[in-house]
Amino acid sequence: MTLTRREREILALLRRDPLAGAQSIADALGTTRAAVNVHLSNLGKKGAILGRGYILRQEHAVVVIGGANVDIKVRSLAPVTYRTSNPGRSHTSPGGVGRNIAENLARLGTPTHLIAAVGQDAAGERLLSETQAAGVRIEHIHRGPHPTGTYTAVLDADGDLVVAIADMAATDALAPEHLHTARELIGNAGLLVLDGNLSTRVLSYVLDIASATGVQTLIDPVSVPKATLLAPLFAAGRPVFAVTPNVAELGALTDRDLEGAEDADDPRLLRAVAVLHERGVRHVWVRLGARGSLLSTLDEGRVPLEAPPAEVRDVTGAGDAMLGAFAHALLGGADPVDAARYGHAAAALTVATPATVRPDLTPRLIEDALDAPLRRTP
């Protein structure tokens, strides 16, 4: 969203007095009421003001749209033996990529709205109660006829993922008509975060709103099958601020074989990244696991980033913490490279705990983690 100098002056006045009339604004700026009315109309079209009373866009609020489900994590007590029973421990908690990202953002202090679908069941009630208690706004949650989704993850003794099964029927059934009441909220978000669990109909609908209103959008492809469905939605005429695939998801988004392309300077990886830039993605942030990540920015080059050391207890939720912290840092004014480092630190802090979303996550905790290597340097 680009504002003229006069429009910025009017917004500054409205922040001081949201009920100021057109004539008082005109008097303050030394112009005419008619001219102010034209500017106010343009500000409304651009989404900088909402409705009557000149309600201002929440510049630092994030709208997250995606999956919300119950996580069931089962961890083996010894190296997994396939096709037989393994002794282990289980844990149930709120989950879902979109929901986890929203909770990370809320715990970091960013005003966050979650749009998702859950069932009209006890699991849905608990999920919403715990999500709201973490500070996430849930007014636009859709309560559908399908049972609340589940994500069952099997982890080996080292905390690495062996296999996961996702029952996302409730999310699959979320449709554009369920989002109509949130259209104004979406179009006036400070930042929009989408996860690939959404149907292509919903993703297309929301991307059109974001493109028309100038809202910056971040997309997590989630998985290879989801990335394959997501790929046709990327187009130069509908720009996306950032997408955060791993190598396999990047291959699915660009229809390329990237098996073994896990180095930040691999030519195959770089060509795939260039394809997404050509399709309107400004920042492509490729997650490379233990090797860190590669942040590539359209017209501004590529920056490889190391993953900070971490004692892994459970990898579940690492990517959600990474993206949530990245978005939080961007809204705080960080450049994308520093925001990516901030995301890496949040991910390292998360995998060091058994929690999908670290309950004590704060900006201070992340900043201390970022400063720790500097304190250890002689």
Side-chain angles (χ1 to χ4, degrees):
M1 179 179 64
T2 303
L3 302 179
T4 66
R5 179 180 60 83
R6 182 63 85 190
E7 288 169 349
R8 291 195 298 271
E9 291 172 344
I10 291 174
L11 281 182
L13 291 172
L14 290 174
R15 288 190 178 96
R16 291 197 293 269
D17 182 7
L19 298 179
Q23 187 59 59
S24 65
I25 294 172
D27 292 342
L29 298 177
T31 185
T32 66
R33 178 173 179 171
V36 168
N37 282 329
V38 171
H39 290 306
L40 290 172
S41 175
N42 289 336
L43 285 167
K45 293 174 183 177
K46 292 179 179 180
I49 58 177
L50 315 178
R52 301 180 62 183
Y54 307 136
I55 303 169
L56 303 182
R57 173 199 288 264
Q58 294 185 57
E59 294 181 354
H60 296 291
V62 177
V63 175
V64 181
I65 311 178
N69 50 256
V70 176
D71 275 356
I72 305 168
K73 293 191 290 186
V74 183
R75 181 167 177 169
S76 176
L77 296 178
V80 170
T81 301
Y82 293 91
R83 295 183 175 84
T84 188
S85 176
N86 289 261
R89 297 287 183 269
S90 64
H91 176 71
T92 301
S93 64
V97 173
R99 198 218 67 86
N100 292 344
I101 293 169
E103 182 177 340
N104 277 292
L105 279 159
R107 291 194 179 281
L108 291 172
T110 296
T112 304
H113 298 260
L114 175 64
I115 301 175
V118 301
Q120 301 179 45
D121 49 23
E125 292 293 340
R126 178 186 172 189
L127 185 65
L128 294 182
S129 175
E130 295 188 20
T131 301
Q132 187 176 40
V136 179
R137 300 285 296 273
I138 60 170
E139 292 90 340
H140 292 281
I141 293 290
H142 174 65
R143 305 297 298 272
H146 297 279
T148 297
T150 58
Y151 171 82
T152 304
V154 178
L155 309 175
D156 66 18
D158 295 326
D160 289 327
L161 182 67
V162 175
V163 68
I165 303 295
D167 177 358
M168 301 295 290
T171 299
D172 293 341
L174 188 67
E177 54 265 30
H178 301 141
L179 275 66
H180 287 339
T181 58
R183 185 182 179 94
E184 191 172 84
L185 175 69
I186 296 166
N188 291 281
L191 199 63
L192 177 65
V193 179
L194 307 176
D195 88 41
N197 286 307
L198 300 166
S199 70
T200 53
R201 288 180 61 217
V202 169
L203 285 167
S204 183
Y205 174 77
V206 174
L207 286 171
D208 283 342
I209 295 174
S211 179
T213 56
V215 174
Q216 292 185 329
T217 305
L218 281 67
I219 303 178
D220 182 347
V222 175
S223 69
V224 169
K226 301 291 186 180
T228 301
L229 297 174
L230 179 62
L233 300 180
F234 290 102
R238 188 164 57 185
V240 170
F241 180 76
V243 63
T244 62
N246 61 25
V247 174
E249 292 161 0
L250 176 63
L253 288 173
T254 57
D255 194 23
R256 290 169 178 263
D257 181 6
L258 298 181
E259 185 176 356
E262 298 176 352
D263 292 326
D265 58 355
D266 190 299
R268 292 177 297 158
L269 188 75
L270 301 182
R271 284 194 292 269
V273 167
V275 169
L276 288 183
H277 285 319
E278 291 167 3
R279 295 179 185 171
V281 181
R282 181 163 182 78
H283 302 283
V284 181
W285 189 16
V286 187
R287 291 171 284 135
L288 303 173
R291 291 180 173 86
S293 66
L294 172 70
L295 179 64
S296 178
T297 298
L298 183 65
D299 300 328
E300 297 176 24
R302 300 181 295 271
V303 179
L305 298 163
E306 293 184 1
E311 180 180 346
V312 178
R313 295 187 62 187
D314 186 341
V315 298
T316 311
D320 306 334
M322 199 167 174
L323 181 51
F326 178 66
H328 171 80
L330 287 173
L331 286 174
D335 65 57
V337 173
D338 285 341
R341 292 194 179 101
Y342 196 87
H344 268 300
L349 289 166
T350 298
V351 300
T353 74
T356 300
V357 177
R358 184 165 176 146
D360 63 344
L361 189 68
T362 62
R364 179 62 180 272
L365 190 68
I366 296 177
E367 289 157 11
D368 286 347
L370 287 168
D371 289 341
L374 296 177
R375 291 197 296 268
R376 290 195 296 265
T377 302

